[in-house]
DNA sequence: AAACCTTTCGAAAACGTTTTCGTGTTGAAA
DNA sequence: TTTCAACACGAAAACGTTTTCGAAAGGTTT
């Protein structure tokens, strides 16, 4: 077993100083060509590679980005990571991933863990619990220490930092508008509880468009689903007791569940019921019928977030304090679940 | 902006030595209660937390696990990461994720990057290209340096290290057997090219069971799909030219594609065609009809891999050299795509 | 021959810890 | 009064780098 070789060992072996070895390997003009080549040859032979930890300590830069997200077994979040990783890779950064599991405490612990030197900055999406508690001291702490943070998707206006989101409200507005344009009027909304920021915004968009079209809002058509546990139950109730001709769902899962339940009741899609969902994930593409969705380009979101973070990291000198919020455009991907 | 406080700063502020501060915070009996309490109070006030990088350098342990996988936008791999993260979290480890993108070069680069001190060990699944080239020098290198490696799912017998897999061959055997037990005979196989280890094993299992039942193998029923590009095309060809009554697919995507194409041709599922797929992912659960699958418990796989790696890390002293291969059990989840 | 410049290298500090060892002070025992 | 243990603390090394500065050696200019 050949352990990794260090500068010190090379220096000893060649009977020169550590400085000389270091300089030789960095092609310093201070060193004569003779020794430089000798050292380089030796280093190559022993496959010398500088130790990242030592470099991090010296440079006070880890070249590592901390990602904290609620969960990873989730198509959207996976695509975001993928996007982040692409950019990180291009720029010589690594990513270290932590999962909050939708728990406030875990989010805090992970953050404190990584903030103690492990990463140069953070890219994160808030856990449900954090959004509910509205307690962002851990983020503030980190930001105060001068570490850049970029929030995506599940953000909060109470935190001053860079952000990247889609225009949830506008997207919901447009999607609902699309349904209305097809002559549909009784449009139900399957959404989350209001403390989830994106759920709230999407609900607002839905409400606005109804208002703008002079359609009266029927509160009983708005189903707020807390956990996926009672998802079936609540949707069943809707389908049985109300006559709806369209559904806007804030995620794929709600949509596909609604479609399945509807079909089992003999309701034809899209003839009797049109369905549009947020998040253009794997389910929408492969379910039967395929589902019309609002694309939420995770890759692009991840890439943008990474670009913003790295830009801050490399420009560290004078902190702009001029935080930006980037909006990733969405578009409606029309598939089989909506009337044409 | 309050930067993180160090031992040195505390020492200076309290006019004691760095050693005293360090010892006080670690409750050393060498220090009088007076100063100990004083230091601790001060440290708490300034929210002192030891710097991970410095600790890593000193202890030569990073408490970090490197994960290298082909892609992350993939339900199975995401679940594995989730499993790894669970155990890592319980044991005070972090995970740093790199994607090879199925590229040999990227796999090598990522590995060398992380091997220079960034992680204590690796958990990985080989890229297609690596499996094709059969070039594992980067893994050997790392193993020779004394870093533990755990391979999962896409492994190679040429590498001596811990592994965790499912019994692909047995699972394929049993799944096919299940189809045969339903009286089905003309069973097609949708698989990958042979250099992908799991594809090969699953194919072997399929072949074995046919042989054991005295069913002649019809090579034209075995479709080897290289990339998802020509997936549709090849499956169409099969469905049109051959009369098949069952399909075994080595992944969900092939299965759902086949089902969609079949249904579009008026073939009824499962009446005319039964379909079983590997990988119990999100598609199988939500497609219509839902798909009978071989569960491939990624969470369990990830957990096991992490346990094996961490065990080696903590027992570092005498290297056992006694490498184990853990088999994660699979089971058939029967859904709507197969005759009952 | 003196002064000076170049070339080439090494010592040491710095990053933030932990830990070993040494040392000065105090009080008690001889 | 001397000796010794206990106590409380500090200096320094170590982990592996990079970089600044100083210095020796040699050569060139006056």
């Amino acid at each position: 077993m050949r352990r990794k070789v260090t500068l010190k060992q090379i220096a000893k072996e060649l009977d020169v100083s550590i400085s000389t070895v270091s300089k030789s390997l960095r092609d310093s003009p201070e060193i004569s060509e003779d020794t430089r080549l000798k050292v380089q040859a030796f280093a190559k032979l022993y496959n010398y590679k500088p130790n990242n930890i030592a470099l991090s300590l010296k440079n006070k830069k880890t070249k590592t980005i901390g990602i904290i997200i609620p969960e990873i077994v989730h198509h959207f979040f996976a695509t975001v990571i993928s996007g982040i990783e692409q950019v990180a890779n291009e720029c010589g950064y690594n990513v270290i991933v932590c999962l909050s599991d939708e728990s406030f405490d875990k989010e805090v612990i992970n953050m404190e863990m990584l903030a103690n030197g492990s990463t140069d900055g953070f890219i994160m999406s808030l856990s449900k619990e954090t959004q509910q508690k509205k307690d962002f001291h851990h983020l503030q702490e980190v930001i105060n220490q001068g570490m850049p943070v970029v929030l995506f998707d599940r953000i909060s206006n109470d935190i001053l930092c860079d952000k990247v989101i889609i225009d949830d409200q506008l997207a919901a507005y447009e999607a609902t508008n699309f349904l209305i344009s097809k002559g549909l009027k009784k449009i139900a909304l399957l959404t989350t509880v209001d403390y989830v920021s994106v759920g709230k915004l999407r609900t607002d968009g839905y409400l606005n468009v109804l208002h703008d079209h002079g359609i009266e809002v029927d509160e009983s058509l708005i189903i707020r689903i807390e956990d996926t546990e009672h998802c079936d139950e609540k949707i069943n109730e809707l389908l049985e007791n109300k006559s709806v001709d369209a559904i806007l769902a804030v995620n794929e899962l709600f949509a596909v569940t609604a479609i399945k339940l509807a079909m089992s009741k003999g309701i034809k899609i899209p003839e009797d019921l049109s369905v549009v969902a947020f998040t253009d994930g794997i389910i929408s593409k492969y379910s039967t019928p395929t589902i019309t969705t609002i694309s939420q380009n995770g890759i692009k979101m991840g890439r943008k977030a990474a670009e913003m973070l790295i830009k801050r990291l490399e420009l560290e000198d004078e902190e702009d304090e001029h935080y930006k919020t980037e909006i990733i455009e969405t578009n409606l991907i029309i598939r089989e679940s909506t009337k044409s």
Side-chain angles (χ1 to χ4, degrees), chain A:
Chain A
M1 193 180 56
R2 218 176 49 176
R3 276 241 133 76
K4 287 206 85 65
V5 64
T6 69
L7 287 186
K8 192 194 275 198
Q9 289 164 29
I10 299 182
K12 194 172 177 184
E13 210 68 32
L14 295 179
D15 205 39
V16 293
S17 77
I18 297 180
S19 337
T20 304
V21 178
S22 175
K23 288 173 191 165
S24 297
L25 295 177
R26 324 196 89 245
D27 281 323
S28 159
E30 278 186 50
I31 305 297
S32 71
E33 193 173 349
D34 260 19
T35 48
R36 188 160 50 78
L37 293 180
K38 188 177 64 178
V39 171
Q40 290 181 350
F42 192 90
K44 184 156 200 174
L45 180 64
Y46 281 87
N47 191 28
Y48 170 80
K49 295 276 167 50
N51 180 299
N52 287 331
I53 297 291
L55 285 180
S56 296
L57 185 59
K58 178 126 202 29
N59 301 333
K60 292 170 147 291
K61 302 227 165 167
T62 60
K63 292 289 233 171
T64 301
I65 296 173
I67 302 180
I68 302 180
I69 52 175
E71 45 174 336
I72 198 172
V73 187
H74 191 297
H75 187 261
F76 171 65
F77 285 124
T79 55
V80 174
I81 295 187
S82 191
I84 295 173
E85 209 269 350
Q86 284 173 18
V87 175
N89 213 32
E90 291 161 12
C91 302
Y93 282 76
N94 280 316
V95 302
I96 169 160
V97 176
C98 286
L99 309 179
S100 67
D101 245 340
E102 302 287 11
S103 144
F104 173 77
D105 289 339
K106 270 198 165 187
E107 192 176 289
V108 173
I109 290 176
N110 281 325
M111 222 166 159
E112 288 181 346
M113 178 106 219
L114 297 188
N116 296 321
S118 300
T119 63
D120 296 339
F122 287 95
I123 295 178
M124 41 187 309
S125 194
L126 300 172
S127 79
K128 273 186 197 162
E129 216 183 332
T130 307
Q131 290 206 116
Q132 186 172 18
K133 291 181 84 152
K134 289 178 190 285
D135 180 348
F136 309 118
H137 77 271
H138 50 309
L139 284 151
Q140 268 314 330
E141 185 82 17
V142 163
I143 292 171
N144 287 343
Q145 282 170 15
M147 295 185 77
V149 172
V150 178
L151 284 177
F152 73 89
D153 199 56
R154 301 222 213 125
I155 67 168
S156 164
N157 291 326
D158 297 348
I159 309 170
L160 290 179
C161 66
D162 288 320
K163 290 158 197 167
V164 34
I165 50 172
I166 62 169
D167 191 334
D168 286 286
Q169 196 175 327
L170 180 63
Y173 189 102
E174 289 179 349
T176 312
N177 205 32
F178 170 77
L179 292 170
I180 292 174
S181 76
K182 298 296 178 189
L184 305 167
K185 289 261 164 53
K186 285 168 289 186
I187 304 172
L189 173 68
L190 303 182
T191 184
T192 60
V193 282
D194 269 355
Y195 60 75
V196 178
S197 61
V198 294
K200 173 78 165 70
L201 289 169
R202 292 169 190 177
T203 303
D204 289 347
Y206 163 88
L207 293 174
N208 287 346
V209 73
L210 292 191
H211 177 263
D212 288 357
H213 281 272
I215 301 176
E216 201 179 341
V217 175
D218 180 351
E219 269 293 336
S220 67
L221 293 186
I222 300 179
I223 314 294
R224 290 193 172 78
I225 299 168
E226 177 129 27
D227 42 15
T228 49
E229 301 281 305
H230 307 93
C231 181
D232 282 38
E233 192 182 315
K234 289 197 157 188
I235 294 175
N236 249 328
E237 214 176 292
L238 172 77
L239 293 174
E240 277 166 11
N241 302 329
K242 295 283 169 181
S243 78
V244 298
D245 50 21
I247 287 180
L248 173 67
V250 300
N251 60 46
E252 283 191 319
L253 210 69
F254 293 171
V256 72
T257 306
I259 289 177
K260 274 192 174 283
L261 291 173
M263 293 202 308
S264 76
K265 293 185 199 309
I267 301 175
K268 289 210 182 88
I269 314 250
E271 292 80 1
D272 306 335
L273 180 68
S274 287
V275 177
V276 176
F278 266 85
T279 314
D280 178 42
I282 202 98
I283 297 181
S284 305
K285 222 172 296 176
Y286 290 104
S287 73
T288 310
T290 54
I291 305 175
T292 295
T293 58
I294 293 148
S295 81
Q296 198 181 350
N297 195 325
I299 299 274
K300 207 178 266 183
M301 228 163 158
R303 290 191 64 99
K304 190 45 124 180
E307 282 162 12
M308 291 173 86
L309 184 68
I310 291 176
K311 190 169 159 201
R312 282 230 181 256
L313 289 176
E314 322 254 281
L315 249 75
E316 186 120 46
D317 26 357
E318 65 265 38
E319 337 255 327
D320 254 349
E321 281 297 320
H322 201 74
Y323 296 121
K324 278 207 228 166
T325 296
E326 292 278 348
I327 312 259
I328 302 294
E329 74 280 15
T330 60
N331 48 316
L332 205 60
I333 299 174
I334 297 169
R335 298 211 182 86
E336 299 164 0
S337 69
T338 46
K339 269 199 213 173
S340 58

